[in-house]
Amino acid sequence: MKNEFKGFQKIFLFTFSHQLRSTGYRAATILLAVLLFLLPAGIMAAVEWFGGDEPEASVYENPVRGVYIVDQTGTPAVGFEQLNTLGEPGYTELSYTLCENLEQAEQLARQSEDSVVLVLSQTEQGTKADLLLPEGSGLSKEEVSGLELFLQQNYQLIQLQKAGLTAEQAMQIVTPVQTEQVTETVISPESDSPFEMIKEVFSLILPFALIMILYFMVLFYGQSVANSVILEKNSKLMDTFLISVKPSAMIFGKVFAIVLASILQFFIWIAALAGGFAAGSALVRAINPQTDMLLLQFFDMMGELGGMFSPAGCIVAALILIAGFLLYCVLASIGGSAAGKPEDLSSTNVLFTMILVISFLCTLYAGGISMAGDTASAAWMDWVPFTAILVTPGRLLLGELSPVQGLISLLVVLAFSCLVLFLAGKVYRMMALYKGNPPTPAKLFRMLRGK
């Protein structure tokens, strides 16, 4: 066994350093990290700066100070001064003056630029109130719109006083009554608490989110693994290479090096994205401390629900995701081992993409991706490597599996990945000097069974 891994360290270090030093790797890492940092921060700040809600005209800024009233309803209007006692900010110091006719009201209102004329008239629908701006007034229609709304909301008080009620009686009638419905609450395990509702939402979203992460990582990095494995075949160095390095050592070294470099790049991007959202949140709050941006409310809610996920479960779930990525990269190495030239990878690499799709369909139809509480029938999927990497991380985060069970599932995935790596080494040795079209999976299996 020790002889099988001869040269593993050299292959691993060389491949890993080659990945880190390559221009494409560095350019993609740096450029995408910068974009992932700047885009969230810039977009959030721009949305708050340019698209934030404009402060509405405050009632504190009511510019009207005098109201001259012309009552044409037949019953003299009384008690307008009571409106000042309602405590409405901006409408506590208005001067109300009852005039005999419209000409007198307009003449008095023209003596100051902050006065309006209120005309009350009787119609079939009821009392109609019109606010008029005198000639030469310094007010605009927008500036008196607040007063118009205020009078519409509180004119009932004047009507009650016209009906013969005292100011105190009228105030009692228009004072709103606050009611509160109190019911007996029985706390039971089946009650729909907010925590349980959020847990159900996460149980539905997490599996799809995890499979998307895995799918794009495999799609993005799987080809690199296959290209690296086939490199010596394409450069005509196969004969010399196999003298000093065992096939298993070469496959293990290349796969682990590329997986490590890929995970390092991916975590740099994740850190940049998290930093971008953190910087964006800080910029938004600096622009508007009273912001009500929905994204910030979501972040605050997630902070309050931080105790929903156990640290041990999060760590094991992340390790299972990494192990799943390793498993699919191992499958990609089989495709590279079976291919004779880069043109053949399009047919040999179908293996790992098909397995990913089939695994997703299995979890979907077997109940692995469903609402919380409906997953007991699919417990077997935690112990099958291809389904465990899709289902188990979400269950760990939601507390449906213990960290110990997650560790056992992780060991199963890692053990299976190592077995497939040994298989990839055998395929690599067997196909080292193979000429012709790539063999079908059935023919490849027959070749492995033969000598």
Side-chain angles (χ1 to χ4, degrees), residues 77 122 144 177 248 250 255 260 293 304 319 325 377 408 414:
Q122 191 68 34
V144 301
V177 178
S248 297
M250 196 203 71
V255 171
L260 181 59
M293 183 178 287
E304 295 175 359
L319 291 176
F325 175 60
S377 61
I408 297 175
L414 290 176

Side-chain angles (χ1 to χ4, degrees), residues 16-278:
F16 183 68
S17 62
H18 181 265
Q19 283 288 110
L20 297 185
R21 293 175 182 175
S22 65
T23 305
Y25 180 91
R26 290 186 176 185
T29 303
I30 296 174
L31 290 178
L32 195 53
V34 172
L35 286 176
L36 289 173
F37 179 83
L38 293 179
L39 284 178
I43 292 174
M44 291 175 66
V47 167
E48 186 63 31
W49 182 268
F50 296 105
D53 295 335
E54 294 291 335
E56 298 180 358
S58 175
V59 292
Y60 291 90
E61 301 175 356
N62 173 43
V64 181
R65 289 295 174 264
V67 180
Y68 294 92
I69 306 168
V70 179
D71 193 343
Q72 299 176 350
T73 62
T75 305
V78 293
F80 269 90
E81 290 77 10
Q82 294 295 324
L83 299 180
N84 290 333
T85 64
L86 296 177
E88 288 286 342
Y91 300 96
T92 58
E93 297 180 356
L94 270 68
S95 172
Y96 297 95
T97 304
L98 185 62
C99 301
E100 295 181 358
N101 50 55
L102 182 59
E103 291 76 11
Q104 180 187 9
E106 289 181 343
Q107 182 180 2
L108 294 174
R110 282 196 294 267
Q111 295 178 5
S112 60
E113 295 183 353
D114 54 1
S115 298
V116 295
V117 175
L118 174 62
V119 179
L120 303 176
S121 57
Q122 191 68 34
T123 65
E124 294 181 358
Q125 290 77 23
T127 303
K128 178 183 178 183
D130 295 314
L131 277 178
L132 306 178
L133 293 176
E135 185 180 353
S137 174
L139 301 172
S140 63
K141 292 182 179 180
E142 290 76 14
E143 290 175 324
V144 301
S145 59
L147 175 62
E148 181 180 6
L149 178 62
F150 172 74
L151 293 174
Q152 289 176 357
Q153 293 175 344
N154 300 286
Y155 187 69
Q156 182 184 8
L157 180 63
I158 307 301
Q159 290 178 316
L160 291 174
Q161 292 190 63
K162 279 188 175 186
L165 298 179
T166 64
E168 291 76 12
Q169 292 173 330
M171 288 292 293
Q172 290 179 1
I173 293 177
V174 299
T175 301
V177 178
Q178 296 182 355
T179 61
E180 180 179 358
Q181 182 179 1
V182 179
T183 59
E184 183 179 359
T185 302
V186 179
I187 300 177
S188 64
E190 299 179 355
S191 61
D192 294 331
S193 64
F195 179 84
E196 289 298 327
M197 295 176 62
I198 294 173
K199 184 178 178 180
E200 289 186 357
V201 172
F202 272 104
S203 69
L204 185 63
I205 294 176
L206 275 177
F208 290 101
L210 295 178
I211 192 175
M212 286 297 102
I213 292 174
L214 266 179
Y215 178 77
F216 284 109
M217 288 184 67
V218 170
L219 197 65
F220 193 78
Y221 296 111
Q223 191 71 18
S224 299
V225 175
N227 287 331
S228 178
V229 170
I230 205 176
L231 179 64
E232 286 72 28
K233 295 182 182 181
N234 196 43
S235 60
K236 310 299 182 182
L237 295 175
M238 182 63 64
D239 298 338
T240 305
F241 213 88
L242 291 180
I243 295 176
S244 57
V245 179
K246 294 294 182 179
S248 297
M250 196 203 71
I251 294 295
F252 271 76
K254 284 179 174 289
V255 171
F256 279 110
I258 295 177
V259 167
L260 181 59
S262 303
I263 292 173
L264 177 62
Q265 185 182 59
F266 184 74
F267 274 97
I268 290 175
W269 290 340
I270 294 296
L273 183 63
F277 279 114

Side-chain angles (χ1 to χ4, degrees), residues 396-416:
L396 279 169
L397 293 175
L398 296 171
E400 297 174 4
L401 286 180
S402 67
V404 175
Q405 292 174 308
L407 282 174
I408 297 175
S409 181
L410 173 63
L411 293 176
V412 171
V413 175
L414 290 176
F416 186 78

Side-chain angles (χ1 to χ4, degrees), residues 323-337:
F325 175 60
L326 171 64
L327 176 58
Y328 279 102
C329 287
V330 170
L331 293 176
S333 71
I334 293 182
S337 300

